[in-house]
Amino acid sequence: MKVRITDTVDWVGYVDWELRSFHGKEYSTHRGTSYNAYVVREEKTVLIDTVWAPYDQGFVENLDREVGLANLDAVVMNHSEVDHSGALPELLRRIPNVPVYCTEAGARILKGLYHEDWNFVTVKTGDSLDVGNGKKLVFVEMKMLHWPDSMASYLTGDAVLFSNDAFGQHYASASHFDDAVDDAELMAEALKYYANILTPFSPLVVNKIREVLALGLPIARIAPSHGVIWRKDPTRIVGKYLEWAQDYREHQATVLYDTMWDGTRRLADRIAEGLRAEDPTLVVKLFNVSKTDKNDVISEVFKSEAILAGSPTINRGISTAMAAILEEIEGLRFKGKKAAAFGTYGWSGEGVAKLNGLLAKAGFALVGEGLKALWNPDDAAQAKAVALGREVAKAVRGDAGAAEPEHP
Ligand code: FEO
């Protein structure tokens, strides 16, 4: 199977409709994914990337049928991660001498993963591969977007940017193109992908996009390594990345909580009431983190101006579900967001202090000292929860102070 991308570029990847988690269990893929590989058919025939190892046989056989393995002049590996390099051993077992174009880091990583000394040709930004008919594949290093080896390749003439993971989405589709799928689904998956994978690298994203835009190259297609190809208006997703990379926030506050006997949940409800009462324009969402997909929660945190994190005190600490999501949030290094903590307790009551510490460590500016409520929150405690909601809404609006984060 192949899908025509331009007159001389075909998609030859694999659509993984059944995948429900990626990176082990680190990333949920409710709508599956695809491993996109492409063939450039000019005077030279060049394969760009492969697919994940479970699909290597089918991939290589399909490539043989559609292109003929003996006709491949080169393989470009934009990125070594196993979802793209998994079929390389099977392919190179059949055509061992074909040159493999990648960055120096890419060659090192591929050797580390597969213990093979293939015919590597290492490239840097600005290097190119002449594919004939007056066209070239120009390479652009994309270091740490999102691995040290990442790069993009740009096909002159057709103006196709093979961006690998950048601009991707974990989104299986029958149609392969942005203008042929549900736009809300597509953009939700693109945002989830950015929020959960690329957020820590946002300063690099901005610099790299500016560097590429400064070249003034036309871009007719952006062909990432996951999800659909951007052909309707490729600059739209580039613009979105620039927005998302610059401390992105919508006018939203998100209440995250875990609860044992509904006391902390009641506080969450009252906090939400206070947020809405203070600012009816604020989008207020609540998630029980022990019942909600963590990557979906991260997408909501990404969109938020403020979060409230609540847990009952358990064993002098917080619930494992809340601890897990805050560990994830810290690693993603969100910037410019506010936070407050809350929770019930029965005797020692360390939970809120622990939450404050974790939120501050994750770079959030704390609003107030948080709210502790003894046992089942009474009317007075519930009123304090409404007041905390109001206080956070005011801080978001800018008419109440929030503590500076402990680290930027
Ligand atoms: Fe899709 Fe970083 O691999």
Side-chain angles (χ1 to χ4, degrees):
M1 180 202 174
K2 66 181 177 191
V3 178
R4 182 60 50 95
I5 306 300
T6 71
D7 286 347
T8 56
V9 177
D10 291 327
W11 174 96
V12 289
Y14 182 78
V15 179
D16 191 344
W17 290 93
E18 73 169 31
L19 193 79
R20 288 296 174 269
S21 73
F22 188 81
H23 284 156
K25 290 284 180 193
E26 287 301 306
Y27 188 109
S28 59
T29 49
H30 308 314
R31 296 187 176 97
T33 193
S34 65
Y35 317 106
N36 296 340
Y38 302 93
V39 170
V40 177
R41 292 177 292 97
E42 299 289 350
E43 288 174 58
K44 284 187 178 162
T45 304
V46 180
L47 173 69
I48 299 176
D49 295 326
T50 74
V51 303
W52 190 27
Y55 308 108
D56 61 352
Q57 296 286 342
F59 169 75
V60 172
E61 281 158 22
N62 182 55
L63 198 59
D64 200 17
R65 257 193 320 273
E66 298 292 352
V67 179
L69 297 184
N71 295 323
L72 278 182
D73 295 295
V75 176
V76 171
M77 290 304 303
N78 278 330
H79 177 34
S80 311
E81 195 165 3
V82 177
D83 49 329
H84 308 297
S85 67
L88 203 54
E90 179 58 24
L91 179 67
L92 297 184
R93 192 178 63 74
R94 303 195 197 193
I95 45 170
N97 298 319
V98 72
V100 178
Y101 287 74
C102 60
T103 60
E104 269 187 33
R108 269 200 312 277
I109 294 169
L110 287 168
K111 285 178 194 173
L113 290 173
Y114 302 109
H115 313 294
E116 297 278 0
D117 202 12
W118 290 315
N119 182 15
F120 293 111
V121 180
T122 58
V123 296
K124 293 184 165 63
T125 295
D127 290 349
S128 61
L129 168 60
D130 192 333
V131 294
N133 297 326
K135 298 181 189 175
K136 292 189 293 187
L137 271 170
V138 182
F139 304 114
V140 182
E141 290 169 273
M142 305 273 279
K143 193 172 179 181
M144 293 318 297
L145 293 174
H146 67 129
W147 269 24
D149 65 311
S150 299
M151 72 170 185
S153 306
Y154 174 78
L155 179 62
T156 61
D158 294 39
V160 180
L161 180 68
F162 300 97
S163 58
N164 199 266
D165 282 336
F167 310 120
Q169 336 88 46
H170 288 304
Y171 186 29
S173 84
S175 54
H176 302 275
F177 290 102
D178 59 339
D179 52 2
V181 297
D182 183 292
D183 196 61
E185 279 187 5
L186 170 61
M187 295 315 292
E189 290 298 340
L191 180 143
K192 176 179 174 180
Y193 187 97
Y194 189 96
N196 282 271
I197 298 174
L198 289 165
T199 298
F201 310 111
S202 286
L204 300 175
V205 170
V206 174
N207 290 341
K208 185 54 69 174
I209 288 178
R210 287 185 177 149
E211 179 190 321
V212 171
L213 290 179
L215 299 174
L217 298 169
I219 297 180
R221 305 265 188 281
I222 294 179
S225 57
H226 299 288
V228 299
I229 292 143
W230 304 91
R231 73 175 173 190
K232 187 180 175 194
D233 175 14
T235 57
R236 179 168 73 132
I237 189 64
V238 177
K240 278 287 171 196
Y241 265 46
L242 280 174
E243 262 184 65
W244 293 338
Q246 298 181 80
D247 304 345
Y248 183 71
R249 296 185 292 274
E250 296 177 10
H251 193 42
Q252 175 175 329
T254 304
V255 184
L256 313 180
Y257 65 93
D258 200 356
T259 195
M260 293 168 73
W261 299 109
D262 275 351
T264 302
R265 186 188 59 73
R266 262 192 289 281
L267 292 177
D269 283 343
R270 294 287 84 77
I271 288 168
E273 191 182 312
L275 288 163
R276 292 188 203 103
E278 186 63 38
D279 183 354
T281 68
L282 189 62
V283 174
V284 178
K285 298 186 183 180
L286 293 91
F287 297 98
N288 181 326
V289 296
S290 70
K291 297 181 179 180
T292 314
D293 179 276
K294 72 183 170 70
N295 303 107
D296 293 340
V297 170
I298 293 292
S299 296
E300 298 298 337
V301 171
F302 178 72
K303 291 191 284 183
S304 297
E305 293 180 297
I307 66 168
L308 292 107
S311 169
T313 294
I314 306 169
N315 296 332
R316 299 188 173 180
I318 57 175
S319 83
T320 52
M322 183 56 73
I325 196 78
L326 289 177
E327 169 76 10
E328 185 106 4
I329 286 170
E330 184 196 344
L332 289 169
R333 286 175 263 157
F334 292 111
K335 290 190 174 63
K337 298 182 191 295
K338 297 177 171 61
F342 63 98
T344 55
Y345 69 105
W347 47 101
S348 54
E350 293 89 343
V352 165
K354 183 150 192 177
L355 287 168
N356 277 338
L358 292 171
L359 289 166
K361 196 169 159 221
F364 288 75
L366 291 179
V367 179
E369 294 175 355
L371 171 64
K372 287 168 67 172
L374 185 61
W375 297 118
N376 192 17
D378 59 12
D379 288 349
Q382 293 194 44
K384 284 182 184 169
V386 174
L388 177 61
R390 283 186 174 274
E391 195 183 350
V392 171
K394 282 181 191 165
V396 164
R397 204 166 51 207
D399 52 355
E404 284 303 309
E406 286 180 5
H407 66 82

